[in-house]
Structures are given as C-alpha cells and as structure tokens.
Amino acid sequence: MDWTKQAQHDFQSMPAEGSDLVMSARAELITAEDPYFRGIDADASLPHWMTVRPLASTSPGGPHIVDLAGGRGWLIYTFMRRRADPQIVVTEAFWA
C-alpha cells in the first residue's frame, strides 16, 4: 500500500485510536481478493467497524472510501490492478 504525502502526514498525526484502526483496515485491504469489494454484501466479511464503498456511485471502478468506526474516520484509496504487483494508493486519511 502506498500513500500520498498528505495522506501519510495525516495518518502520522492521528491519535493511537485512529492509527490502530487505519492499520487494521490496511491489513484487510491488502489481503482482500478484490479491494473494491464489488457486488452485493461483498464486504460482509469485514469487521463491523469498517465499510467500503465507491466514493461516487457513478464510478464503481474509481476511488473508494473506507469508513471507520461509524464515520469517525476514513481512508480514500484507488486500486490499480497490475499483473505483477497490484497497488493500493491512499489519497486521503482522516480521523475526528
């Protein structure tokens, strides 16, 4: 998983509660068979404090948002499906 500079800075500035959830979400994303969780109830196997959805419903293959702890925080990421080395890039990280 890669991070934009701003997202990494925001992550590093989070309190421990937020950064712990972000790291747990990261583990779920990088081990998922499909990090875009396509289909009905595709994210049903995720922990109860984490949901994944497209950032815009009109762009299901575009950026996605991971809502953390009922909206207290989120990650926005894109997934680039590359044959040799798939890549997830976090473009925004937030914790309230």
Side-chain angles (χ1 to χ4, degrees):
M1 179 178 274
D2 293 323
W3 300 71
T4 63
K5 286 183 180 183
Q6 184 61 49
Q8 187 170 25
H9 177 283
D10 294 341
F11 166 68
Q12 291 170 340
S13 301
M14 286 180 188
E17 179 186 10
S19 62
D20 289 348
L21 284 180
V22 167
M23 292 308 289
S24 295
R26 176 190 178 276
E28 295 289 341
L29 290 175
I30 64 173
T31 58
E33 190 172 314
D34 179 5
Y36 275 164
F37 298 94
R38 295 180 177 126
I40 297 171
D41 293 330
D43 64 352
S45 64
L46 294 176
H48 70 280
W49 50 265
M50 176 181 172
T51 59
V52 177
R53 61 183 167 79
L55 193 57
S57 62
T58 57
S59 182
H64 273 56
I65 186 166
V66 179
D67 288 312
L68 304 171
R72 287 199 57 204
W74 63 77
L75 294 176
I76 296 176
Y77 71 95
T78 57
F79 174 65
M80 289 173 252
R81 192 177 303 278
R82 300 184 299 195
R83 220 166 99 119
D85 184 25
Q87 182 181 29
I88 296 172
V89 179
V90 176
T91 57
E92 186 176 329
F94 175 80
W95 186 258

